[in-house]
Amino acid sequence: MSGENAGVQLAARPRLKFIDMARSIAILMMLEGHFTGSALADKYRDDNNWLFSFWHNLHGLTSPLFFAVTGVVFVYLLSRSTNEPYFQNERVKKGFGRVKMLLFWGYFIQFDFITFFRDTRYGFEFYGKLKNANFLDLIGSWFHDILVPFFPTASTSKAWIFTYHFNWFQAFHVLQSIGFGIFFLLLVFGIYKIIKKGPLYLYYLIAALILFVIYGYLKEHIKLYGVSEGIKTIKDPGAFIPQGAPKFIQNMIYGEFSDFSFVRYSGYVLMGGMIGAIIRHYEKNVRKWWFGITFIAIGLFFNVAGQSLFHELDQFTNWIGLTAHGCFENNTTGFARMGQVAMLLGTLMLVDANFKINAPLFLKMGQTTFPVYIVHVIILYGGIVGIGLDPELWYHRQFDPWVSISISAFFITVFVIMVKYIEPLTELYYKVFGIFYPKRKKLRNE
């Protein structure tokens, strides 16, 4: 902790409600965007319509806000005390635990039991020559050798293998990407602990800039070799990165299912970490009017002048041979979004400093984002179970704006009620699935 804050007693610090407010806004925007977006019919998606254009642009802020606020909260808490040895810091221990949990749930929630059982029953497919099979195909072949005695009608030829349709299971999505982002936050904090020079927020700024530059090159690669309209419109699968790697590795960077590539989104988490470190370093000034105004001004600058600034920077770095292909200008949208996040945080700082916020349920939404996200994926996208609203033809993009808004409002209300009663629901969950949590059961009995 900086000397500036050394005399402030930890227990005396009032909670910074604007952080919880930002988290609540992020999760509500996510719910609204996903439920409205999944229901709204294509014929109403007209960019020339100012209302749809505004909604679509606002929805594009959801992910950067969600990822950045994750970094803000994590580093704000992590930097509460910087004097302990790295691996003895409770926040570091919890952080690595959170990384493992996010990676586990990120893949598990994409698992589909219905497809799994269907493939188990009808899983033999003719693949031709196995010499071109990937790792999962070879596992399928191994299953074939074990199970073929129990399926006498199945061919004994090695060209027939037992296969599961797990392409989507290997996708790299929101939770895994957040997990990688938190890992980078911990890594940078460890570097800071080793070097022990300069403010922590500068380390996160440098790390974020490095990642944004790398993404600039990746974006140029995608534009040249990858897709025409969105990451799922494949032009050249041979351009996936790293070439020849397993699909789940490619999806982390650039593959068939890399909508939330860590190269693209971890920069937001690191920028959020920088903001969290700034807030901790200047904590005594957070409630002063100029502090929030500064965030708003910086955010406004990147939205108004960011593209021109990065264009000129690219021209210079290209001229001296440092970069190529406009790697800074490719990040114009990313920095504009971070500018919008900064403007929102600055506004919430001013609100928190000048008004008494008495909205416990609203703030609680921001403190319960993980279970809300998991349940919404199960309901909407059929996570784990394999039955959800969005995959169904009768639901997917079938409704007019009023019905879509009503669906969204209904499910937001459901999740607000869920959050209100999250404690008894959590206890019920552990009673039903207590067998999977032996450590928790042991602690409760002690």
Side-chain angles (χ1 to χ4, degrees):
M1 193 178 349
S2 68
E4 182 181 5
N5 292 323
V8 182
Q9 294 297 319
L10 295 178
R13 288 194 183 104
R15 187 179 183 93
L16 299 178
K17 292 184 179 180
F18 72 85
I19 295 179
D20 288 330
M21 292 163 66
R23 296 170 74 186
S24 297
I25 291 171
I27 195 68
L28 290 171
M29 286 178 64
M30 184 273 293
L31 291 172
E32 185 281 323
H34 285 183
F35 279 102
T36 303
S38 66
L40 185 65
D42 288 332
K43 65 180 179 180
Y44 299 106
R45 297 169 182 267
D46 180 10
D47 286 324
N48 295 319
N49 182 306
W50 72 268
L51 194 57
F52 173 79
S53 181
F54 174 78
W55 173 84
H56 191 250
N57 187 272
L58 189 65
H59 181 45
L61 176 62
T62 305
S63 294
L65 178 61
F66 205 85
F67 279 79
V69 170
T70 297
V72 173
V73 174
F74 188 85
V75 174
Y76 176 73
L77 297 174
L78 177 65
S79 57
R80 186 173 190 174
S81 175
T82 59
N83 298 323
E84 303 148 298
Y86 183 75
F87 288 106
Q88 292 180 22
N89 187 313
E90 282 300 314
R91 288 292 168 184
V92 170
K93 295 177 185 177
K94 289 181 179 180
F96 281 114
R98 178 60 61 91
V99 170
K100 290 188 289 185
M101 181 189 72
L102 288 169
L103 290 175
F104 167 77
W105 277 100
Y107 285 107
F108 182 58
I109 204 169
Q110 293 170 169
F111 187 78
D112 179 344
F113 274 108
I114 289 181
T115 300
F116 177 80
F117 288 125
R118 183 192 65 209
D119 288 357
T120 301
R121 177 65 181 86
Y122 306 102
F124 290 99
E125 291 186 0
F126 185 74
Y127 263 67
K129 296 181 179 180
L130 279 179
K131 66 178 182 180
N132 296 321
N134 61 25
F135 179 69
L136 289 180
D137 294 337
L138 296 177
I139 290 178
S141 179
W142 178 71
F143 270 112
H144 172 274
D145 291 340
I146 294 175
L147 297 177
V148 75
F150 302 99
F151 293 85
T153 58
S155 170
T156 57
S157 167
K158 280 289 185 178
W160 286 88
I161 67 173
F162 190 74
T163 184
Y164 289 107
H165 300 92
F166 278 172
N167 278 352
W168 181 247
F169 177 67
Q170 301 176 72
F172 198 76
H173 222 267
V174 174
L175 296 183
Q176 297 104 308
S177 196
I178 291 176
F180 265 62
I182 293 176
F183 174 77
F184 289 135
L185 293 176
L186 291 165
L187 182 64
V188 172
F189 185 69
I191 295 172
Y192 165 78
K193 291 282 290 182
I194 293 171
I195 298 176
K196 297 180 180 178
K197 289 184 179 180
L200 178 58
Y201 56 80
L202 188 59
Y203 288 75
Y204 285 118
L205 174 61
I206 293 171
L209 291 176
I210 291 172
L211 208 53
F212 274 121
V213 168
I214 294 172
Y215 177 63
Y217 281 102
L218 177 61
K219 192 171 182 180
E220 186 67 23
H221 172 85
I222 293 171
K223 287 195 294 185
L224 291 174
Y225 306 107
V227 300
S228 55
E229 297 177 3
I231 206 157
K232 293 177 186 174
T233 310
I234 308 301
K235 287 170 66 179
D236 184 6
F240 290 156
I241 299 174
Q243 290 187 356
K247 288 183 181 180
F248 81 96
I249 296 292
Q250 289 181 334
N251 289 333
M252 293 178 183
I253 301 170
Y254 170 58
E256 184 178 2
F257 300 111
S258 347
D259 286 7
F260 287 87
S261 159
F262 78 83
V263 179
R264 179 182 180 187
Y265 281 96
S266 291
Y268 293 120
V269 181
L270 289 166
M271 290 293 277
M274 178 197 70
I275 294 173
I278 290 173
I279 292 171
R280 176 64 74 184
H281 189 81
Y282 297 102
E283 194 165 7
K284 288 172 64 176
N285 299 311
V286 168
R287 298 183 183 278
K288 295 179 179 178
W289 67 269
W290 61 264
F291 198 82
I293 293 294
T294 301
F295 272 78
I296 295 172
I298 292 173
L300 191 60
F301 171 79
F302 278 108
N303 274 268
V304 174
Q307 185 167 6
S308 299
L309 173 67
F310 292 128
H311 177 75
E312 294 302 323
L313 185 58
D314 272 328
Q315 295 285 78
F316 174 72
T317 54
N318 290 352
W319 178 64
I320 64 175
L322 184 62
T323 63
H325 305 302
C327 70
F328 289 106
E329 195 168 0
N330 280 339
N331 280 298
T332 299
T333 302
F335 276 94
R337 289 302 189 189
M338 272 308 306
Q340 292 163 18
V341 171
M343 286 191 286
L344 176 61
L345 287 173
T347 303
L348 294 177
M349 288 175 192
L350 294 175
V351 171
D352 189 15
N354 294 284
F355 298 93
K356 185 178 180 180
I357 309 300
N358 187 21
L361 185 54
F362 171 68
L363 297 177
K364 194 176 180 182
M365 285 293 297
Q367 300 161 8
T368 325
T369 55
F370 181 73
V372 168
Y373 182 85
I374 294 293
V375 174
H376 115 278
V377 170
I378 294 172
I379 293 173
L380 186 56
Y381 301 116
I384 303 175
V385 179
I387 302 175
L389 293 175
D390 195 40
E392 302 299 329
L393 294 178
W394 64 267
Y395 177 86
H396 179 71
R397 297 192 176 188
Q398 295 297 315
F399 304 102
D400 64 49
W402 290 110
V403 174
S404 301
I405 292 169
S406 300
I407 291 171
S408 180
F410 169 77
F411 279 105
I412 288 174
T413 303
V414 168
F415 282 104
V416 169
I417 294 171
M418 170 186 150
V419 168
K420 183 177 181 179
Y421 297 102
I422 193 67
E423 290 83 7
L425 287 173
T426 301
E427 287 302 314
L428 177 63
Y429 169 82
Y430 281 119
K431 284 181 181 178
V432 175
F433 298 101
I435 189 173
F436 299 109
Y437 301 94
K439 289 184 178 179
R440 176 183 169 88
K441 187 175 182 180
K442 182 180 178 182
L443 288 172
R444 285 171 59 87
N445 292 332
E446 287 179 352

